[in-house]
Amino acid sequence: MKKTTIVAIDGPAGAGKSTVAKTLARKLGFLHIDTGAMYRAVTLAALRQKADLKNDGELEKIARGSKIELKPGEPENKVYLNGEDVSRDIRTPEVTQASAHIASSVPVRKILVSRQQQMGRVDSSPYGGAVLEGRDIGTDVFPDAQYKFYLDASVETRAQRRLRDLEKAGVATTLEKVMEDVKARDERDIHRAVGGLRKTPESIVLDHSHLSVEESAGELYQFIQQHPR
Ligand code: DC
């Protein structure tokens, strides 16, 4: 039987990974797995239960008890937590902020990484492959992925995108403030003791600051077509 094809897309927050991954998965006919949404769903569950975000034991229990489903949807994919549609609730600034604690929890990462591996290997089999996006896909989740991309963009570009999203959501802020937030998130993502954001020697590093989502996804798609593995 042919091995499932895994496409790993890692990179910092706001580099456009989600939309690129979604578009690429659609072009390839693959399953799209947004791993950040899974960390966000556990964060939401922890906030709702007023958990101590520094207590690994509590967080582990919450992660185990959280059934997370990712379902394709337009324009956005849907995220369900224990059967409830939380697609919007997981995108609030409060969840974004608190997610750093959940992402640093070793037991939570173990649980989520193992679910992601299962989803990539098993759930994607009818599709022939999966596109997973996150921070540690090429390093920890699927170190043997056939394709590893590292999607980068300048702090300014990422902050501008984030500012647009926040404005759409009715949040009043400034570019300077968002740039500070983006830098702080990079620091946390890179210096996390486990599952930190890293390139692998075989990662294909792309800076798509000046490309549209369609162009970015097109470039990745073309690379995959030209390099069958
Ligand atoms: O990509 P995002 O902003 O939706 O990610 C939400 C949080 O989860 C963020 O704190 C980074 C973290 N994360 C992670 O630690 N590992 C992943 N594979 C994906 C996201």
Side-chain angles (χ1 to χ4, degrees):
M1 205 172 82
K2 193 179 173 297
K3 217 172 128 197
T4 308
T5 303
I6 301 287
V7 181
I9 305 183
D10 289 306
K17 292 188 304 285
S18 279
T19 3
V20 170
K22 184 171 162 48
T23 310
L24 178 66
R26 192 177 339 109
K27 276 172 168 296
L28 292 165
F30 282 11
L31 177 69
H32 169 212
I33 304 172
D34 173 359
T35 64
M38 298 172 72
Y39 287 92
R40 285 172 180 274
V42 175
T43 306
L44 180 68
L47 288 173
R48 283 179 173 176
Q49 294 179 37
K50 306 212 183 322
D52 174 359
L53 300 185
K54 295 195 177 99
N55 182 330
D56 272 337
E58 264 185 63
L59 296 181
E60 178 175 14
K61 227 162 104 192
I62 291 170
R64 265 192 214 295
S66 299
K67 182 175 168 219
I68 304 164
E69 293 163 287
L70 306 175
K71 296 189 182 166
E74 290 302 335
E76 305 290 329
N77 289 341
K78 295 272 178 208
V79 182
Y80 292 83
L81 172 63
N82 297 326
E84 176 194 347
D85 181 354
V86 293
S87 316
R88 273 171 179 267
D89 299 357
I90 60 165
R91 305 281 167 201
T92 62
E94 194 193 2
V95 169
T96 302
Q97 179 76 24
S99 71
H101 292 283
I102 277 56
S104 313
S105 164
V106 175
V108 171
R109 293 204 79 89
K110 262 200 188 143
I111 294 167
L112 293 189
V113 165
S114 129
R115 286 194 200 163
Q116 289 153 14
Q117 290 168 335
Q118 166 91 1
M119 288 160 85
R121 285 202 193 99
V122 182
D123 298 356
S124 65
S125 55
Y127 298 86
V131 177
L132 288 98
E133 40 138 333
R135 307 291 192 283
D136 59 342
I137 310 300
T139 50
D140 296 343
V141 184
F142 282 106
D144 58 348
Q146 287 89 338
Y147 301 95
K148 294 185 189 180
F149 296 105
Y150 185 97
L151 208 56
D152 216 345
S154 66
V155 170
E156 182 147 41
T157 302
R158 293 189 282 127
Q160 262 156 357
R161 283 186 193 143
R162 176 102 190 104
L163 182 66
R164 271 200 301 272
D165 289 347
L166 287 170
E167 280 171 352
K168 262 195 240 158
V171 180
T173 181
T174 63
L175 183 61
E176 287 67 35
K177 170 91 185 58
V178 180
M179 275 178 74
E180 284 313 307
D181 287 350
V182 167
K183 284 186 203 158
R185 285 188 75 187
D186 283 359
E187 271 301 298
R188 288 197 298 258
D189 269 343
I190 292 165
H191 297 296
R192 190 167 47 232
V194 281
L197 176 62
R198 276 188 292 125
K199 295 167 190 144
T200 69
E202 63 277 14
S203 299
I204 298 160
V205 183
L206 303 162
D207 186 325
H208 281 175
S209 298
H210 304 293
L211 293 190
S212 68
V213 169
E214 276 302 331
E215 288 168 333
S216 267
E219 201 173 297
L220 269 54
Y221 179 76
Q222 222 173 14
F223 180 91
I224 292 170
Q225 296 302 315
Q226 288 167 357
H227 301 82
R229 289 175 184 166

